[in-house]
Amino acid sequence: MVKNTAVVVLTVLISLFSCSAEAGDSRYFFQITGGVGQSILKNLSDELSTQDQDGIPLGFSAAVSLGRSLMDGKWSIEAQMNLTRYPAFSYANEFQEFNGPLLHFGYSIVFKRCLRPGKETFVPRIGVGLGFSKTELSAGKGMLDGPEAIILLQVDHRIKTHIDLVAEAVWIPLIREEIYRSPFSVQSDYDGILDSNEKRLSDGYSSVEFRLGIKVRLKPPKQY
């Protein structure tokens, strides 16, 4: 799965940055944002509630992307990396005991549609993306990986000729659920994370994130 995703990402990147020079309406840009994220891991949260724990705290979320706008700014395509780190929390039942933290990172190709092309103030965009992600609990005690989807709403506001302020709300929906597993061994029924019923815990990662940042256009706009 990782190899297939890497091939797709590489193919899209090659096409992204080798487009014909005749595409005069294209612009390269770099974007970086940071903020907070709330994970939605139902089974882990339920188990923590059973243990009288407070649950998974808010985490720090960040994303970096390199992209290109197309068709006079109506569309854009981005290669994006996102990372969310949650503070350490306690996990303790009769069969297992450890402390977090929880770490999630993903690599995606994101397509965005500008709803006010040609404008400079409060420009809304909607976007969808697909890629590969990995979630690690307690430095590899339990791991989830697989495909990841991204749905987002973004608002840009021009502050300088080549710089925009960016605010975005991001939803990473659940695609599939799997058993938390250790990356070091998968031979034992006790490998991974055990719940209060001595069963292997499964989950699927989902989250809601809010971030602020900047977008820098790497190619100056043409003067008409």
Side-chain angles (χ1 to χ4, degrees), residues 25-192:
D25 58 352
S26 298
R27 300 289 183 269
Y28 295 102
F29 61 87
F30 171 80
Q31 181 174 302
I32 181 169
T33 55
V36 297
Q38 178 61 66
S39 68
I40 305 172
L41 291 162
K42 183 179 183 304
N43 296 338
L44 177 59
S45 296
D46 290 347
E47 173 61 23
L48 291 174
S49 296
T50 300
Q51 300 172 13
D52 294 325
Q53 303 290 343
D54 292 334
I56 305 171
L58 282 174
F60 170 75
S61 174
V64 176
S65 62
L66 183 63
R68 183 171 183 161
S69 60
L70 306 167
M71 299 177 63
D72 292 320
K74 295 177 182 178
W75 293 89
S76 64
I77 180 173
E78 301 176 24
Q80 182 183 104
M81 180 182 73
N82 65 78
L83 169 70
T84 307
R85 181 181 177 85
Y86 299 88
F89 54 88
S90 297
Y91 185 100
N93 57 31
E94 184 180 351
F95 310 102
Q96 222 168 24
E97 183 175 347
F98 58 85
N99 292 324
L102 179 71
L103 178 67
H104 175 85
F105 53 94
Y107 306 91
S108 306
I109 297 298
V110 180
F111 295 89
K112 294 179 182 176
R113 176 73 164 94
C114 179
L115 303 182
R116 296 181 66 214
K119 305 299 182 180
E120 297 183 354
T121 58
F122 301 105
V123 181
R125 303 175 191 271
I126 54 175
V128 295
L130 186 65
F132 178 82
S133 71
K134 181 177 291 187
T135 305
E136 293 182 355
L137 178 58
S138 188
K141 183 70 177 181
M143 184 177 70
L144 306 170
D145 59 24
E148 176 172 275
I150 294 175
I151 300 172
L152 63 86
L153 172 63
Q154 176 179 315
V155 177
D156 302 349
H157 183 73
R158 184 75 51 86
I159 57 173
K160 288 188 177 181
T161 305
H162 308 309
I163 301 177
D164 292 354
L165 282 178
V166 175
E168 58 184 2
V170 181
W171 176 39
I172 299 178
L174 171 64
I175 291 184
R176 72 180 187 188
E177 183 175 305
E178 61 180 19
I179 293 174
Y180 286 98
R181 66 187 187 281
S182 167
F184 309 110
S185 170
V186 291
Q187 303 301 318
S188 170
D189 289 340
Y190 292 90
D191 175 60

